[in-house]
Amino acid sequence: MAFTVVQKLDKDPKDITPDYTLDTLGEPCPYPAIVMLETMPQLQKGEILELLSDCAQSINNIPVDTKNHGYTLLSVEQDGTTLRYLIQR
């Protein structure tokens, strides 16, 4: 896929290697946010989760939920309807 960066922090997303991937493609909202919030506590501090979603509403939910739960959203990328989030615990 050829993702376009929507938002990023310091590093370019292609320079970040996620520790885990959650593929929620085809799942309706709010499932991507729920499964992300259930998964993040299982990660060690500093580990990175890659979340893939094609739910358009996730662009609103994931950044807010990430911040509200004390995680760091490293980047948001988009390729067509697919969104890729890199979230650090």
Side-chain angles (χ1 to χ4, degrees):
M1 287 189 238
F3 285 102
T4 301
V5 177
V6 176
Q7 172 188 342
K8 71 176 181 175
L9 286 181
D10 305 340
K11 284 182 151 184
D12 192 302
K14 62 184 169 224
D15 296 332
I16 300 172
T17 303
D19 297 289
Y20 304 96
T21 299
L22 269 179
D23 184 345
T24 63
L25 296 174
E27 298 293 340
C29 283
Y31 182 77
I34 291 170
V35 75
M36 181 269 295
L37 291 173
E38 289 175 348
T39 302
M40 289 305 292
Q42 299 173 40
L43 276 63
Q44 299 296 317
K45 189 165 178 67
E47 288 186 320
I48 298 171
L49 175 71
E50 172 187 52
L51 174 64
L52 302 174
S53 174
D54 55 2
C55 173
Q57 293 174 348
S58 71
I59 194 73
N60 298 319
N61 302 0
I62 299 297
V64 171
D65 289 341
T66 298
K67 182 178 179 183
N68 287 344
H69 286 85
Y71 306 123
T72 303
L73 183 63
L74 300 175
S75 76
V76 179
E77 300 169 88
Q78 185 168 9
D79 180 17
T81 60
T82 301
L83 293 158
R84 177 182 186 240
Y85 304 92
L86 292 176
I87 305 162
Q88 186 173 38
R89 169 141 195 240

